[in-house]
Amino acid sequence: MLILKLGGSVVTHKDKYMSAHTGNIQRLAMEIAEADTYPIVIVHGGGSFGHPVAKKHGIADGLVDKSQFFGFSETHQAMVKLNQVIVDLLLKAGVPAFAISPSSMIRTDSKRLNELDIGLIKGFIELGLVPVLYGDAVLDSQQTFAILSGDQLIAKLSNNLGADRVIFGSDVDGIFTDNPKLSPDAMLIETVSISSHEANVGATTHTDVTGGMLGKLSEATEAVRGGADVLMVNAFVPGRVRSALRGEKVIGTVLTL
Ligand code: ADP
């Protein structure tokens, strides 16, 4: 059982509002088809689709004013649009993808995902289909609504499906000693050992991990604890995701217990 995350940085032009990176998506769809590694579940991020809309309407921190209902729905719509582009291109490449909307089956509790209808997802997998989920605007039992990140979803799916391998595809080679986009001297860390005690992730890895990578690392830690091998790779480099799916050795960061 494989789980592949396609980061928002990979499937969208992050600095261009609601712009799908169709070139990357097409190439990655081909790589997934060529790898021919099933069963697999795909989760993608929001990039320039979900994030700016959710931010504009303050969706992540829940209900303050009923006028947010429009923004709540628009955030979901933005993700549906991106998901549609991705699933269409996967189908075209020969991957039997099936779109599953997280907000239709998931409710968070104070931003955390507790319950998940895993039987439903297993049903699609057993048919030989490839479920494609995404970070979404969801109902929350404490704050009315919230944003469920693709990375949080990955950890939960991994643990509930008993994934063997989880691959995070992003726009950097893996986890560095510092943000590689800001520090040219940052060095790639090939193996990150997760302490068995819940500790500060940054301290555990002796790195300065910030922003999206910090959340990703903390969710990935959950998947490692659940028994999956977790690998972070650069999905912009042609062939890297395909090799990673096949279990070949690639440049990246491996997370271990
Ligand atoms: P995605 O959209 O692909 O899920 P994010 O943009 O949320 O990914 O997070 C990846 C980004 O995290 C990288 O582009 C990088 O700028 C940033 N980052 C911060 N600290 C680190 C670090 N120590 N190592 C790698 N990336 C880091």
Side-chain angles (χ1 to χ4, degrees), residues 205-223:
T205 57
H206 305 290
T207 65
D208 181 11
V209 182
T210 56
M213 195 50 92
L214 184 59
K216 204 180 307 300
L217 189 51
S218 126
E219 301 299 347
T221 301
E222 291 302 311

Side-chain angles (χ1 to χ4, degrees), residues 53-54 57 59 67-77 137:
V53 187
H57 300 280
I59 303 307
S67 64
Q68 285 173 295
F69 287 162
F70 287 87
F72 177 50
S73 181
E74 283 164 15
T75 304
H76 172 67
Q77 286 301 98

Side-chain angles (χ1 to χ4, degrees), residues 41-126:
V41 176
I42 298 172
V43 177
H44 64 82
S48 62
F49 282 75
H51 291 296
V53 187
K55 200 174 167 194
K56 182 178 167 197
H57 300 280
I59 303 307
D61 292 325
L63 179 72
V64 178
D65 188 292
K66 279 188 175 178
S67 64
Q68 285 173 295
F69 287 162
F70 287 87
F72 177 50
S73 181
E74 283 164 15
T75 304
H76 172 67
Q77 286 301 98
M79 290 311 299
V80 168
K81 279 187 193 121
L82 175 60
N83 179 256
Q84 202 161 26
V85 174
I86 293 172
V87 172
D88 282 349
L89 289 173
L90 282 165
L91 290 171
K92 223 175 185 174
V95 178
F98 195 95
I100 298 180
S101 191
S103 53
S104 300
M105 53 177 283
I106 286 168
R107 195 195 296 258
T108 52
D109 186 11
S110 295
K111 305 183 185 182
R112 296 304 297 175
L113 199 178
N114 288 327
E115 295 302 321
L116 179 75
D117 189 349
I118 204 71
L120 192 77
I121 293 169
K122 279 184 180 160
F124 285 98
I125 296 170
E126 278 157 17

